[in-house]
Amino acid sequence: MLTLSSIQLDGAPFDTSVLAKEAKNVKIVAGGLECTVPCGFSTKQGGFTFTASAAGYAAKQVGATAAYASSTGGCPSSQTGGKRIAVMLSRP
Protein backbone atom coordinates (compact mmCIF):
# COMPACT_ATOMS: atom_id res chain seq x y z
CA MET A 1 0.00 0.00 0.00
CA LEU A 2 1.38 3.39 -1.03
CA THR A 3 0.35 6.47 0.96
CA LEU A 4 0.23 9.89 -0.68
CA SER A 5 0.13 12.89 1.63
CA SER A 6 0.72 16.67 1.55
CA ILE A 7 -0.83 16.72 -1.93
CA GLN A 8 -0.72 20.07 -3.71
CA LEU A 9 -1.82 21.19 -7.17
CA ASP A 10 -0.03 24.23 -8.58
CA GLY A 11 1.21 25.13 -5.09
CA ALA A 12 -2.18 25.01 -3.34
CA PRO A 13 -3.43 22.23 -1.04
CA PHE A 14 -5.43 19.68 -3.05
CA ASP A 15 -8.89 18.82 -1.73
CA THR A 16 -8.92 15.00 -1.81
CA SER A 17 -12.64 14.90 -0.96
CA VAL A 18 -13.44 15.70 -4.64
CA LEU A 19 -11.88 12.40 -5.75
CA ALA A 20 -14.75 10.02 -4.99
CA LYS A 21 -15.81 9.74 -8.66
CA GLU A 22 -12.37 10.22 -10.27
CA ALA A 23 -9.93 8.08 -8.30
CA LYS A 24 -8.91 4.56 -9.33
CA ASN A 25 -7.56 2.08 -6.74
CA VAL A 26 -7.50 4.86 -4.12
CA LYS A 27 -8.96 5.13 -0.63
CA ILE A 28 -9.38 8.59 0.85
CA VAL A 29 -7.94 8.69 4.38
CA ALA A 30 -7.21 11.44 6.89
CA GLY A 31 -4.20 13.36 5.66
CA GLY A 32 -4.13 11.94 2.13
CA LEU A 33 -4.72 8.87 0.02
CA GLU A 34 -3.98 5.15 0.29
CA CYS A 35 -3.11 3.87 -3.15
CA THR A 36 -3.12 0.30 -4.43
CA VAL A 37 -0.76 0.52 -7.40
CA PRO A 38 -1.32 1.21 -10.15
CA CYS A 39 -3.59 4.07 -9.14
CA GLY A 40 -4.89 7.37 -10.45
CA PHE A 41 -6.28 10.17 -8.37
CA SER A 42 -7.33 13.16 -10.46
CA THR A 43 -8.51 14.39 -13.84
CA LYS A 44 -7.04 17.82 -13.14
CA GLN A 45 -4.03 19.00 -15.14
CA GLY A 46 -1.17 20.94 -13.60
CA GLY A 47 1.79 20.63 -11.28
CA PHE A 48 1.27 18.12 -8.49
CA THR A 49 3.57 17.64 -5.52
CA PHE A 50 3.08 15.05 -2.79
CA THR A 51 4.89 12.87 -0.30
CA ALA A 52 4.89 9.14 -1.13
CA SER A 53 5.48 6.60 1.63
CA ALA A 54 5.04 2.90 2.36
CA ALA A 55 5.72 0.69 5.38
CA GLY A 56 9.42 -0.17 5.56
CA TYR A 57 10.48 2.53 3.07
CA ALA A 58 11.71 6.10 3.40
CA ALA A 59 9.19 8.79 2.44
CA LYS A 60 9.94 10.69 -0.76
CA GLN A 61 8.80 14.10 -2.03
CA VAL A 62 7.48 13.75 -5.61
CA GLY A 63 6.70 16.38 -8.23
CA ALA A 64 5.02 15.78 -11.59
CA THR A 65 3.10 17.74 -14.18
CA ALA A 66 -0.19 16.02 -14.96
CA ALA A 67 -1.40 16.37 -18.54
CA TYR A 68 -3.61 14.59 -21.06
CA ALA A 69 -3.11 14.12 -24.80
CA SER A 70 -6.84 14.74 -25.30
CA SER A 71 -9.50 16.27 -23.05
CA THR A 72 -13.15 16.74 -23.97
CA GLY A 73 -15.39 18.84 -21.75
CA GLY A 74 -19.04 18.38 -20.99
CA CYS A 75 -20.88 16.13 -18.64
CA PRO A 76 -19.40 13.66 -18.40
CA SER A 77 -15.95 14.79 -19.47
CA SER A 78 -13.41 12.48 -21.05
CA GLN A 79 -9.61 12.43 -20.90
CA THR A 80 -7.19 10.15 -22.73
CA GLY A 81 -3.43 9.76 -22.87
CA GLY A 82 -2.81 10.73 -19.25
CA LYS A 83 0.76 11.10 -18.02
CA ARG A 84 2.02 8.14 -16.01
CA ILE A 85 4.68 8.42 -13.33
CA ALA A 86 6.67 5.84 -11.41
CA VAL A 87 7.64 6.42 -7.78
CA MET A 88 10.64 4.46 -6.52
CA LEU A 89 11.03 4.32 -2.73
CA SER A 90 14.20 3.22 -0.94
CA ARG A 91 14.63 1.30 2.28
CA PRO A 92 15.99 3.51 5.07
Side-chain angles (χ1 to χ4, degrees):
M1 184 73 54
L2 182 67
T3 301
L4 308 179
S5 59
S6 303
I7 303 169
Q8 293 194 349
L9 173 58
D10 295 330
F14 186 71
D15 181 7
T16 58
S17 68
V18 303
L19 300 177
K21 294 180 183 176
E22 301 174 353
K24 303 292 183 216
N25 297 332
V26 170
K27 178 181 175 185
I28 300 169
V29 296
L33 306 172
E34 285 184 353
C35 197
T36 301
V37 291
C39 64
F41 63 87
S42 182
T43 58
K44 305 253 186 267
Q45 299 187 90
F48 278 92
T49 58
F50 54 88
T51 301
S53 59
Y57 292 86
K60 181 178 185 177
Q61 185 71 23
V62 178
T65 300
Y68 292 94
S70 172
S71 183
T72 305
C75 187
S77 63
S78 173
Q79 294 81 20
T80 60
K83 181 173 184 176
R84 295 175 184 259
I85 65 167
V87 176
M88 304 297 289
L89 300 179
S90 301
R91 297 219 182 249

